[in-house]
Amino acid sequence: MTAVSFIDWASLVALVLLTLALLVSVVRIIIGPTLGDRVLALDLMTVVAMGFIGAIAVRTGLTLYLDIAIALALLGFLATIAFARYILRRAGRDAQ
Amino acid sequence: MIADLALYLGGVLLVAGAAFSLLAAIGVVRLPDLYTRLHAASKAGAVGGGLVLLAVALVSQDAAVSIRAVIGVLFLIMTTPVSAHLLARAAYIAGYPFWSNTVQNDLEVEPNKIPPHQ
Amino acid sequence: MSAAFLILLMAFIWAAITGNFSGLNLVFGGLVGGVAVMILRASLRQRGELARLRHIAALTGLFLYELMASAIRVALVVMRPDITAGLRPAVVAVPLSVKSDAEIALLANLITLTPGTLSVDVSEDRSLLYVHALTLASPEALIAEIAGGFEARVREVFQ
């Protein structure tokens, strides 16, 4: 097998695995049961989506996708921080 | 020859990263409480995403792209524990329950804390 | 000696980021690096930066190894058919010997990414770090592992 066709197969396998990972994390978003669990699953989903974009970058050879992947990682991090602060604030409000 | 080797290694890292991502997702569904789920998401998730970015760095064979991918990995390694820690702390202060089989809980010894930053 | 080394290193990083290893670009990177080293000279001189760099490298090496080990361990736990049998989750209060904010933050992040541990909170007087363990053997072993491993290395880096 040549290196190029190996990369072709590897990226296809990776895309299948990452698709499964996305689907499985959606299960946790649906069943919850708490807000924290859903935020956690969403955070994992952005990391998996970042991996997905990376795999597409490898498959197509368009390295511009890499910048999108890094931007997505940044977005996921900020979203999780905002959600964590929201959970804290809501807990503080309920306590009062 | 070296270039081919980088391609093969990149392909292996790509599949390994995707497998770790899938295992992280399975862990998030199967583990019993939020705190144990955070273990799966923060460790396996960060390694999965990082390995895929490293694969991009190897396959691209372009120094500019590789440096950006490595910076992306560093960013991921730096931010994942921060978000996991924040989520764990918020969940604990908001009173999310621990799994009933938790063997030791030193946090319960402390009196209830009032969340700061209000 | 170390200033020349830093300038050379920066020239290479510059060439790598701009994706152009031509002589002119390397010289330009070296010039930019030289200006940066001149500006930062005072703060570089004050500490034994080479010894510090070595400590940082040792910490990074240990960390990358532990990160891979922790991902594999979590993967093994997740793949068990009877998942709850392999779990012994616990929250352990680990006494801290490092005091500054930067040290505690670095230590907490390192702990989160190492096998079976996740930092949850710091007590208000900063003497205790609450660590959530996925598969606890014994609290004493966990405390000894953190104190002897990362905490000692973090102290070395910040001295």
Side-chain angles (χ1 to χ4, degrees):
Chain A
M1 204 189 314
T2 66
V4 174
S5 69
F6 176 72
I7 283 289
D8 220 40
W9 273 104
S11 58
L12 193 64
V13 171
L15 284 175
V16 170
L17 291 176
L18 288 164
T19 309
L20 286 175
L22 279 176
L23 287 175
V24 172
S25 34
V26 168
V27 171
R28 181 48 75 192
I29 294 179
I30 293 171
I31 63 179
T34 63
L35 177 63
D37 291 300
R38 296 195 170 96
V39 173
L40 165 67
L42 271 175
D43 183 43
L44 182 64
M45 259 182 92
T46 51
V47 176
V48 173
M50 195 203 74
F52 204 91
I53 296 172
I56 289 176
V58 168
R59 197 166 169 75
T60 59
L62 292 175
T63 49
L64 195 63
Y65 279 119
L66 183 65
D67 297 322
I68 302 172
I70 292 173
L72 188 64
L74 177 64
L75 196 71
F77 174 58
L78 292 178
T80 308
I81 286 183
F83 270 124
R85 285 198 46 91
Y86 169 67
I87 293 173
L88 271 180
R89 284 182 76 103
R90 207 173 64 159
R93 213 174 43 229
D94 288 351
Q96 279 161 14
Chain B
M1 186 57 228
I2 295 284
D4 270 8
L5 205 65
L7 283 182
Y8 283 119
L9 189 62
V12 171
L13 286 185
L14 192 63
V15 174
F20 271 121
S21 303
L22 178 56
L23 284 169
I26 292 173
V28 164
V29 170
R30 289 192 71 200
L31 287 166
D33 72 355
L34 175 63
Y35 305 93
T36 49
R37 282 170 206 150
L38 274 170
H39 280 277
S42 63
K43 293 179 193 93
V47 170
L51 286 181
V52 171
L53 284 185
L54 280 184
V56 177
L58 280 173
V59 172
S60 71
Q61 320 232 320
D62 176 351
V65 174
S66 303
I67 294 271
R68 258 182 294 159
V70 170
I71 289 172
V73 174
L74 285 180
F75 175 79
L76 203 63
I77 286 178
M78 268 156 51
T79 57
T80 317
V82 175
S83 53
H85 165 71
L86 274 174
L87 213 51
R89 185 167 179 277
Y92 152 66
I93 289 175
Y96 287 3
F98 286 86
W99 185 41
S100 54
N101 287 10
T102 300
V103 290
Q104 178 182 353
N105 194 342
D106 288 348
L107 274 170
E108 277 172 352
V109 181
E110 281 233 322
N112 278 339
K113 286 197 263 179
I114 298 157
H117 320 298
Q118 291 297 316
Chain C
M1 197 286 284
S2 74
F5 172 73
L6 273 180
I7 292 175
L8 214 64
L9 186 72
M10 285 189 196
F12 266 105
I13 293 175
W14 172 269
I17 289 178
T18 53
N20 178 355
F21 276 93
S22 71
L24 193 64
N25 200 34
L26 274 173
V27 169
F28 184 63
L31 282 179
V32 175
V35 171
V37 169
M38 254 162 62
I39 292 171
L40 296 174
R41 166 165 285 178
S43 60
L44 284 177
R45 273 286 156 76
Q46 277 163 7
R47 313 170 234 212
E49 73 263 42
L50 270 181
R52 212 174 128 104
L53 270 181
R54 209 173 52 234
H55 288 313
I56 291 175
L59 185 64
T60 313
L62 177 71
F63 169 70
L64 288 179
Y65 170 76
E66 296 264 332
L67 178 59
M68 275 318 289
S70 80
I72 290 168
R73 224 166 97 176
V74 167
L76 288 178
V77 167
V78 166
M79 280 190 293
R80 281 177 71 124
D82 52 338
I83 190 159
T84 52
L87 292 180
R88 274 175 62 82
V91 181
V92 178
V94 176
L96 283 172
S97 70
V98 293
K99 286 286 169 257
S100 74
D101 278 356
E103 285 170 299
I104 293 175
L106 179 61
L107 183 66
N109 275 9
L110 292 174
I111 284 173
T112 296
L113 285 179
T114 52
T117 51
L118 179 85
S119 51
V120 177
D121 206 352
V122 180
S123 67
E124 274 168 33
D125 57 357
R126 293 175 186 183
S127 61
L128 294 172
L129 183 67
Y130 293 100
V131 175
H132 187 273
L134 191 57
T135 52
L136 182 81
S138 79
E140 292 80 20
L142 179 73
I143 291 170
E145 195 185 315
I146 290 172
F150 278 125
E151 200 171 13
R153 302 286 173 95
V154 167
R155 256 205 319 273
E156 276 173 1
V157 167
F158 276 87
Q159 260 165 12

